[in-house]
Amino acid sequence: MARPRSAASAETKQRLSESALALFHKRGYNGTSVQDIVSAAGAPKGTFYNHFASKEALALDSVSRYFAALNVETLDSSAGGSPLGRITAHLRFLGDLAETYLDRGCLLGNFASEIPAHSNAVGEAVEECFTRWAAAIAGAIDEAREADELHATEPAVVLAGYILAGYEGAASRSKVSGSTEPMQQFLGMTLSRILV
Amino acid sequence: MARPRSAASAETKQRLSESALALFHKRGYNGTSVQDIVSAAGAPKGTFYNHFASKEALALDSVSRYFAALNVETLDSSAGGSPLGRITAHLRFLGDLAETYLDRGCLLGNFASEIPAHSNAVGEAVEECFTRWAAAIAGAIDEAREADELHATEPAVVLAGYILAGYEGAASRSKVSGSTEPMQQFLGMTLSRILV
Amino acid sequence: MARPRSAASAETKQRLSESALALFHKRGYNGTSVQDIVSAAGAPKGTFYNHFASKEALALDSVSRYFAALNVETLDSSAGGSPLGRITAHLRFLGDLAETYLDRGCLLGNFASEIPAHSNAVGEAVEECFTRWAAAIAGAIDEAREADELHATEPAVVLAGYILAGYEGAASRSKVSGSTEPMQQFLGMTLSRILV
Amino acid sequence: MARPRSAASAETKQRLSESALALFHKRGYNGTSVQDIVSAAGAPKGTFYNHFASKEALALDSVSRYFAALNVETLDSSAGGSPLGRITAHLRFLGDLAETYLDRGCLLGNFASEIPAHSNAVGEAVEECFTRWAAAIAGAIDEAREADELHATEPAVVLAGYILAGYEGAASRSKVSGSTEPMQQFLGMTLSRILV
DNA sequence: ACGCCCGGGACCACCCGTTATT
DNA sequence: AATAACGGGTGGTCCCGGGCGT
């Protein structure tokens, strides 16, 4: 079994990763320099490339870290609770997140808007997250429908995509307006008009 | 009568303005350099600052140009047609726009996601566009309700904000996925479940 | 006979000239841009080269304006008063000037220090001013000696050069220290130890 | 034993530092670009900011380097020799320096004249050098007086300031006139009329 | 025919993401 | 693991001339 090369090393990488997530989230990909990241992490500049192959690789790391923090697994049936309850809990969680990160929006949506286009590693990773996220919501929607908690007739994946789109749009609007209102209205509308 | 100072001048500024809009739209604010803009416009670099005070000032110009191209005035009662018809026409127009600019998303949403935060000139301009856009939609919704074309009970401005959020989210998702599907589903859902 | 083309024109040139003198004096030759000068003068930028051939030509203008304001002609016998009295009056005048322009030093000395070297139009103009200035002082010194007001045996031009050097050094020291002390001490020493 | 991180590093920094001193001395602060410095040093452009935080930081380095080369410590009693002898030796040294750098004047005086004003890092560093320089001269003057080598009654610091002012003025006059005469006359006058 | 605006492009200080060296 | 090297790039400014408009 491999022993960790050095405690400092693993810790440095961790700090780099965390600083990067925070900075990418707040200032975007192009708005964040690797200089910014290493100084926020308190690491020497050249060290960066011992831990990550490139700035893009770090962005990929930030995407998966961010996605992991989204707790989409709480939508899964194995998480317990009624299907609709799991969805509303997730939405509530998302609303709280948006409030916490009022001035940053959602990292996934930010990257989706900023990164030039398709066929780019970061863009693909973001799209994959969206796909998995939507799939998780869609799964819960199907279960809710089966449990007779929800009667919308549209395909579950369409409903899920609609919700995700609304969430992302509300998050960026909240960011630019500096207000939680758009997000609260999105949440209210979604609960009362879509998840019925 | 106002004298056009110089034909060449106005034309150069125009070209700068158009190049900037295209580039900001495609590559974002931080992803576009002044150099990129002037070379796309075929103008010498030093000329740039004869026409615009800064890169930020140009971005402001791009925002208003883009907003003007959104034709929100077609939502106005003075544009003729039934209120709901005007809204659906606007939505159709937006859908076509999103298809045309599939790889760019919506400039307003892109800037909203990329630009750090509130209390920034570009951010404020974007927010003002959103506000006016939402107000235009809300106005048409109120008229549609009066005309008995629409029966949703939520405040018109909430409905309008919800639609805008969904549109922006769908646009960025379309961009990152390289597919028109998210936008089409957004349009379908909005027409069948919200504007009723 | 040429009529003054336009009142505005002459006035603009005047304003340009005055702004330039003030700015060159405060910020140096390389530290002052023609942009700075035209905006301080409230003149349109392109107009500049209608009035002056180049930035260097303007600097030459500033040098002669500044030199004219030095009132070296008050050292001349035609100005009346005892020779030594004229010198001390001039020194007093210079001291007051240095106090007024505490943060700028002497334009001539500033240019002498900043301008690269000999065989440069501005440098030559400055040197010519120094030569004329020293000659005026030397003339008064000779007269003072004849009038038995002064008994130093050194050649008058050496005495004058020494005084000028001390004045320029004191002016720049006053500038950098932000204090009038170096100038006051120079004046006191010169009166008590040199002009005797 | 401390390991010199890299031989190349220290050497590059050294070359940058030396090139900067020479260029600032010859062409002034605003007349010298970072580009000029790195190409004189034969260093790649981006390397500059690995060694110095800014152009101003380099200027500060040049000031202390220049001041160190002034050998003011030879005025100190610990340097041996009679007090007045130490002063005259220093003055002789300064005269030789001025001859060597005939077309450049004194870096300290040049900066004092060029740099806008007080409350600027470079200006403050220059003023501090002047203060220490004057203090060293004043110290030797006091000792010379005690040793009965010198009988001037003015405060030593006033005498020292007067000498410094004269030296700086003579250096800039020598520079602009391209002649050693002003400096020689300053030296002669100082020795025969001040240090007595 | 003159005053002005814009054209023009080299240049400014400084920073970029990355890699070779130690 | 960490430094300095690397050079092209950043947004912005330079001084100046040539052509347009009155």
Side-chain angles (χ1 to χ4, degrees), chain C residues 24-83:
Chain C
F24 282 142
H25 198 182
K26 192 180 318 191
R27 305 213 277 253
Y29 183 80
N30 287 311
T32 301
S33 73
V34 343
Q35 186 68 262
D36 292 339
I37 295 166
V38 296
S39 39
K45 173 139 178 223
T47 295
F48 178 81
Y49 291 89
N50 291 334
H51 297 291
F52 296 95
S54 64
K55 183 184 176 183
E56 191 179 50
L58 226 199
L60 256 14
D61 173 271
S62 291
V63 167
S64 44
R65 247 169 199 276
Y66 185 84
F67 184 66
L70 250 24
N71 291 332
V72 302
E73 66 281 0
T74 61
L75 288 162
D76 206 75
S77 60
S78 65
S82 86

Side-chain angles (χ1 to χ4, degrees), chain A residues 113 127 154 175 193, chain B residues 113 127 154 173 175 193:
Chain A
S113 295
E127 169 59 12
E154 290 86 356
K175 175 183 179 181
R193 299 288 299 279
Chain B
S113 296
E127 169 58 12
E154 290 86 355
R173 181 77 194 278
K175 175 182 180 182
R193 299 287 299 279

